[in-house]
């Protein structure tokens, strides 16, 4: 199907805005053209001089725990995991996880996320089916804590493998899979190695939390005599494609090692701040040439899945921390939240509005005081420093119109919110 979205200002990081239209051929962008279209299409939408921007790529989250939003604030990671997350998750039923997943989809879509990574240990095949049915795009992995009996560990790896076998490159390529052991402090070395072998066998991404808190990192060093980054390297895990979540507590040598091994990082500033975990050395990592992407983590530690907020937080905290406003530009951060994220997730052809790329983008309503003066040359600045996610009025994923005038076209928002409240009540 040929679609045209006309009368828009196309904004990519680092590029001059284009006042014109985009032509879609099926799930791809066929052309980006300046001016007015004279050709015909199966469908033509008038963008009313609003901005067309790449959809956001959220590189770390746990949709299944969305009903725990606000359940345990103001505590450090280990206390929060042991007293809030893990005991609650033990009581989760199928309905709980489904309601949580749907809620996450609604929240992400309404804030302009078109691709996301999800690590979760419950009902991942069902979530994959939901994503396939509703038009989303995701990197999915069975979250695995490598503790327990040998049989339990084997079962987890088997589930991870089945997810790959059944869902990798499915739903017209909107779903890819990855291997996701939880973290070096919850997975012994042999479990990490087996996970990496599985990722290598199927040629998929390896994703894990790493060096999130000082405590966990110091305990790892005490136990193994190695920093978790050095340990993953020693286990030869960096020979495959790796994306690390957090990477907060790193020294220069660890940053150098990540760069040398081409490891990407998912920076989750709000979750790290809220749990008091620290601030990742993003400026140093970027200077070293590491691909630092942006993720929200779950609503249980964030407490939103709003990539606009996350991008702005990332843009601002490092300037303050380093007392250097030039430590990153709006374009850098916008790129990290879009094309950089897609590269970190190993999804080529995603994250940019250009010919040949997948048609994943958002239309932003620019008629608002906080986006005025509405000058094209200030668009990237406005997107990072002023835009609200509620300014996003339409969203497309793989050429499918997913939200129009803030109304979701593939999910019943009212029903999802009702069910989420109902399931959260049940948990109390
Ligand atoms: Zn996480």
């Amino acid at each position: 199907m040929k679609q045209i979205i006309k009368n828009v200002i196309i904004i990519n990081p680092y590029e001059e805005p284009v006042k014109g239209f985009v032509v879609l051929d099926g799930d791809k962008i066929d052309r980006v053209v300046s001016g007015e279209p004279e050709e015909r299409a199966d469908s033509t939408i008038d963008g009313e001089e609003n901005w067309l921007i790449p959809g956001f790529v959220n590189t770390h989250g746990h949709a299944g725990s969305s009903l725990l939003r606000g359940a345990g604030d103001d505590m450090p990671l280990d206390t929060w995991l042991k007293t809030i997350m893990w005991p609650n998750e033990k009581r989760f039923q199928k309905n709980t996880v489904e309601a949580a997943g749907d809620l996450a989809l609604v929240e992400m879509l309404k804030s302009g996320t078109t691709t996301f990574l999800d690590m979760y240990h419950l009902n991942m095949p069902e979530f994959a089916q939901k994503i396939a049915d509703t038009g989303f795009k995701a990197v999915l992995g069975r979250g695995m804590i490598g503790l327990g009996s040998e049989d339990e560990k084997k079962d987890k790896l088997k589930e991870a493998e089945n997810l790959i076998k059944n869902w990798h490159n499915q739903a017209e390529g909107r779903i890819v899979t990855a291997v996701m052991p939880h973290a070096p402090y919850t997975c012994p070395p042999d479990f990490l190695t087996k996970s990496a072998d599985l990722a290598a066998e199927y040629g998929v991404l390896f994703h894990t939390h790493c060096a999130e808190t000082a405590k966990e990192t110091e305990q790892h060093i005490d136990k193994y005599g190695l920093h978790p980054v050095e340990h993953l390297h020693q286990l030869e895990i960096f020979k495959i494609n790796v994306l690390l979540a957090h990477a907060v507590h790193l020294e220069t040598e660890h940053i150098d090692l990540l760069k040398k091994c081409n490891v990407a990082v998912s920076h989750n500033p709000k979750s790290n701040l809220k749990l008091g975990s620290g601030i990742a050395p993003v400026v140093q990592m970027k200077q070293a040439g590491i691909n630092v992407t942006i993720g929200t983590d779950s609503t249980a530690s964030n407490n939103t899945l709003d990539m606009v907020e996350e991008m702005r937080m990332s843009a601002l905290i490092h300037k303050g921390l380093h007392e250097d406003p030039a430590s990153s530009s709006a374009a850098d951060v916008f790129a990290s939240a879009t094309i950089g994220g897609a590269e970190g997730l190993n999804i080529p052809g995603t994250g940019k509005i250009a010919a040949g790329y997948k048609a994943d983008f958002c239309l932003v309503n620019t008629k608002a005081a906080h986006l005025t003066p509405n000058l094209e040359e200030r668009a990237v600045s406005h997107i990072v420093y002023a835009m609200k996610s509620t300014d996003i009025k339409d969203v497309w994923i793989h050429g499918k119109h997913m939200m129009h005038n803030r109304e979701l076209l593939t999910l019943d928002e009212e029903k999802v919110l009702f069910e989420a409240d109902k399931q959260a009540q049940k948990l109390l």
Side-chain angles (χ1 to χ4, degrees), residues 60 62 209 246 268 297-298:
H60 183 71
H62 314 275
H209 299 91
H246 307 303
N268 299 184
D297 216 349
S298 81

Side-chain angles (χ1 to χ4, degrees), residues 99-385:
D102 288 354
L103 179 64
L105 294 180
V106 167
E107 189 181 359
M108 286 192 280
L109 189 54
K110 295 207 85 169
S111 47
T113 291
T114 50
T115 301
F116 65 96
L117 175 143
D118 203 69
M119 174 198 278
Y120 212 58
H121 60 293
L122 299 170
N123 299 9
M124 198 44 99
E126 289 85 349
F127 193 42
Q129 189 62 56
K130 180 61 66 80
I131 290 162
D133 295 343
T134 53
F136 274 88
K137 181 160 162 175
V139 178
L140 303 176
R142 200 279 189 207
M144 301 179 287
I145 287 182
L147 305 171
S149 70
E150 284 311 309
D151 280 350
E152 280 174 79
K153 287 193 249 182
K154 245 186 215 161
D155 287 348
K156 287 175 185 176
L157 287 163
K158 195 74 214 157
E159 278 183 39
E161 183 173 11
N162 286 340
L163 190 77
I164 299 170
K165 280 184 178 166
N166 294 328
W167 285 102
H168 193 60
N169 277 328
Q170 294 303 300
E172 303 88 37
R174 286 182 286 106
I175 297 180
V176 294
T177 56
V179 178
M180 305 192 189
H182 177 261
Y185 71 94
T186 53
C187 297
D190 73 314
F191 190 81
L192 290 170
T193 308
K194 280 181 187 145
S195 301
D197 290 345
L198 183 61
E201 186 184 341
Y202 288 93
V204 301
L205 184 75
F206 179 100
H207 178 62
T208 191
H209 299 91
C210 185
E212 182 174 357
T213 64
K215 187 176 170 186
E216 140 222 336
T217 307
E218 281 156 20
Q219 281 175 348
H220 195 98
I221 295 168
D222 284 348
K223 192 167 176 184
Y224 297 106
L226 290 166
H227 184 279
V229 163
E230 293 167 333
H231 201 179
L232 291 172
H233 179 247
Q234 195 207 48
L235 295 169
E236 302 195 341
I237 287 169
F238 293 158
K239 284 190 170 169
I240 54 175
N241 270 314
V242 175
L243 174 73
L244 298 180
H246 307 303
V248 175
H249 296 277
L250 308 182
E251 302 299 332
T252 308
E253 61 265 32
H254 311 129
I255 293 172
D256 293 343
L257 197 52
L258 293 180
K259 169 58 193 161
K260 196 181 106 192
C261 301
N262 206 19
V263 173
V265 166
S266 175
H267 174 41
N268 299 184
K270 280 181 67 197
S271 175
N272 296 155
L273 288 170
K274 182 161 183 277
L275 291 166
S277 302
I279 298 178
V282 167
V283 172
Q284 296 91 322
M285 286 195 274
K286 282 191 168 176
Q287 273 168 359
I290 293 170
N291 178 16
V292 182
T293 68
I294 298 177
T296 56
D297 216 349
S298 81
T299 60
S301 67
N302 187 306
N303 295 1
T304 76
L305 303 178
D306 185 333
M307 282 291 287
V308 176
E309 266 190 27
E310 207 70 37
M311 179 173 64
R312 182 166 310 136
M313 182 67 74
S314 174
L316 297 176
I317 55 172
H318 303 288
K319 293 176 191 290
L321 181 70
H322 294 276
E323 298 181 32
D324 178 11
S327 61
S328 71
S329 69
D332 282 345
V333 182
F334 186 26
S336 299
T338 53
I339 190 158
E343 284 167 2
L345 295 179
N346 218 7
I347 309 179
T350 292
K352 187 176 172 174
I353 303 177
Y357 278 74
K358 292 293 183 191
D360 300 344
F361 45 68
C362 310
L363 194 63
V364 178
N365 177 15
T366 55
K367 283 104 189 151
H370 58 272
L371 299 179
T372 305
N374 178 5
L375 304 171
E376 277 164 46
E377 52 273 58
R378 295 187 195 166
V380 171
S381 168
H382 286 358
I383 288 164
V384 174
Y385 298 124

